[in-house]
Amino acid sequence: MNKVAPKMSCINLASVMALLLCLVGLSHTKCDFEAIFNFGDSNSDTGGFYAAFPAQSAPFGVTFFKKPAGRASDGRLMIDFLAQALGLPFLSPYLQSIGSNFRHGANYATLASTVLIPNTSLFVSGISPFSLAIQLNQMKQFKTRVLEFHQEEAKLPSPDIFGKSLYTFYIGQNDFTSNLGAIGVGGVKQRLPQVVSEIGATIKELYHDVGGRTFMVLNLAPVGCYPSFLVELEHNSSDIDEFGWLKYGTKACCGYGGGKYNFDPKAYCGNSKATACDDPYNYVSWDGIHATEAANKLVTYAILNGSYSDPKFPLQEHCDLQPIG
């Protein structure tokens, strides 16, 4: 891979309406990523939160793993499908000490993480203490440990891996939705530049301090269509956009209450009152807040073919991809 100075303008983080992709230094030769390092929240957490806090309960993970697997879904996430497509194993959570293997990267994402440093605690607001700044520090510590212990520890990568890796970001949803009802859309817009700036600064540090050269930044999902917000926030028909869904677009597969949305914040998925549908492949929303495995797979296909990237970048034309099942 050619190593060139990062062009931050290609990230175009100011736009919040499209998948954002910046591949720095990726030539037209076939890519060969040896690892993925992911920064994110529950949309890409593969077990970090539940390595630090109480265990996850059924029916999470039922579709693919057949048991709770630390993911806020019935099965695999986009980061799982992306790793599979690149011929890499699922990412081990950085916070999970037992059973982890970091030879092909690490996942710093935790459920309820934010880009901005929270001014509250998990037990007050439900926001994770592992914000993007903390995740960046963990990445830096990881590199330090690799340089120090790679010859002694078989589950660590070689020191030259950092320039041969893909750095992915899927974080920011909680910065805008954790108090959306209080601050409104206007408040969200005011916060956007600060969130954008923090992600950009993080990428710069990864480039200069860690040696990262290839970065992928995913935009927020259409959270206005999530059952949880349709239930908890006032809206009317003029607030709904023109985009369509799968068979069940705005109804949670796992939830309580039935009806149009099947979501009750007092009986969240995993609660004894909540039940899960038997056909999550027909649903976009798993639990009212997170996507089903089926939806995650469809979005991954869009990432690989470049249909939602800005600038358009079909990863499948630059990488020898493996089929995702």
Side-chain angles (χ1 to χ4, degrees):
M1 249 183 273
N2 298 326
K3 291 179 172 59
V4 298
K7 297 180 180 179
M8 302 309 297
S9 60
C10 73
I11 299 175
N12 191 23
L13 290 172
S15 170
V16 293
M17 297 306 295
L19 172 69
L20 306 172
L21 176 66
C22 178
L23 293 170
V24 180
L26 187 61
S27 67
H28 290 289
T29 59
K30 291 296 183 180
C31 65
D32 185 20
F33 297 117
E34 295 185 7
I36 298 175
F37 293 100
N38 181 67
F39 305 84
D41 52 30
S42 57
N43 294 302
S44 59
D45 181 1
T46 55
F49 183 87
Y50 291 104
F53 299 103
Q56 192 180 38
S57 60
F60 286 90
V62 64
T63 295
F64 182 80
F65 301 99
K66 308 304 179 184
K67 63 180 180 180
R71 292 157 171 81
S73 180
D74 61 308
R76 289 164 289 181
L77 309 177
M78 281 184 279
I79 192 66
D80 294 316
F81 287 117
L82 182 61
Q84 185 178 356
L86 293 175
L88 299 173
F90 293 154
L91 292 185
S92 291
Y94 180 75
L95 294 174
Q96 180 177 284
S97 58
I98 299 176
S100 289
N101 189 322
F102 301 113
R103 288 185 59 82
H104 297 285
N107 192 355
Y108 303 99
T110 66
L111 182 148
S113 286
T114 54
V115 171
L116 305 180
I117 297 175
N119 57 3
T120 182
S121 74
L122 174 73
F123 304 103
V124 173
S125 63
I127 295 297
S128 169
F130 299 103
S131 65
L132 182 57
I134 300 300
Q135 295 180 26
L136 174 61
N137 286 338
Q138 291 174 329
M139 177 75 235
K140 291 180 178 179
Q141 183 191 51
F142 180 82
K143 181 178 181 179
T144 299
R145 295 296 187 182
V146 166
L147 297 178
E148 184 177 359
F149 296 112
H150 73 279
Q151 292 182 328
E152 305 169 20
E153 177 53 64
K155 294 183 179 180
L156 292 180
S158 61
D160 64 351
I161 200 169
F162 300 102
K164 304 175 182 178
S165 303
L166 176 63
Y167 295 77
T168 56
F169 293 78
Y170 194 7
I171 188 170
Q173 178 173 315
N174 297 302
D175 292 88
F176 300 117
T177 62
S178 60
N179 58 351
L180 179 60
I183 66 176
V185 176
V188 166
K189 290 181 178 179
Q190 290 179 354
R191 181 173 295 181
L192 177 59
Q194 189 178 359
V195 172
V196 169
S197 178
E198 187 65 27
I199 294 176
T202 300
I203 292 176
K204 287 182 179 179
E205 285 200 54
L206 287 170
Y207 182 90
H208 292 293
D209 298 345
V210 177
R213 292 296 180 266
T214 310
F215 306 91
M216 179 184 290
V217 183
L218 281 76
N219 190 21
L220 304 186
V223 294
C225 297
Y226 285 8
S228 60
F229 296 109
L230 292 171
V231 167
E232 298 184 80
L233 298 178
E234 292 185 7
H235 64 280
N236 53 50
S237 59
S238 64
D239 295 321
I240 306 299
D241 64 25
E242 71 275 18
F243 297 104
W245 299 90
L246 303 172
K247 186 174 180 179
Y248 299 108
T250 57
K251 184 176 183 180
C253 167
C254 181
Y256 176 76
K260 189 175 182 180
Y261 305 121
N262 191 37
F263 181 85
D264 186 332
K266 296 180 180 179
Y268 181 66
C269 182
N271 184 285
S272 59
K273 292 183 179 180
T275 58
C277 67
D278 58 6
D279 58 341
Y281 50 84
N282 280 324
Y283 287 73
V284 170
S285 178
W286 163 243
D287 57 4
I289 301 174
H290 306 99
T292 58
E293 177 179 284
N296 285 325
K297 181 185 289 189
L298 289 175
V299 176
T300 305
Y301 280 130
I303 293 174
L304 299 178
N305 65 35
S307 59
Y308 286 156
S309 60
D310 180 19
K312 187 174 178 62
F313 194 98
L315 204 62
Q316 63 189 22
E317 295 181 9
H318 297 266
C319 305
D320 292 318
L321 300 179
Q322 304 298 313
I324 56 178

